[in-house]
């Protein structure tokens, strides 16, 4: 399955989309790619949101 990028615009500047980066349609502009990264939450941002900033390893397991 292919994506027809002509149907989508950059989520940050409105130009024609050329790629999907960090779960966002973006043009090729490095500023838009950076905005997509920040909107996602940076490295591991989607997981941080999923666990509400709690440690991945439960604290009880770390005590042993």
């Amino acid at each position: 399955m292919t994506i027809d990028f002509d149907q989508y615009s950059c989520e940050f500047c409105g130009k024609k989309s050329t790629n999907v980066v960090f779960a966002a349609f973006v043009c090729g502009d490095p500023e838009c790619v950076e905005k997509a990264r920040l909107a996602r939450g940076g490295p591991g941002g989607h997981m941080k949101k999923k666990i509400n900033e709690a440690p991945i390893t439960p604290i009880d397991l770390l005590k042993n």
Side-chain angles (χ1 to χ4, degrees), residues 12 21-22 31-43 45-46 49:
F12 302 97
V21 180
F22 300 107
E31 287 183 27
C32 292
V33 172
E34 180 64 12
K35 288 177 183 178
R37 184 185 74 80
L38 293 174
R40 178 73 176 214
H46 60 293
K49 290 177 185 175

Side-chain angles (χ1 to χ4, degrees), residues 15-37:
K15 294 180 192 171
K16 186 173 137 182
S17 157
T18 59
N19 205 348
V20 176
V21 180
F22 300 107
F25 286 99
V26 295
C27 58
D29 189 346
E31 287 183 27
C32 292
V33 172
E34 180 64 12
K35 288 177 183 178
R37 184 185 74 80

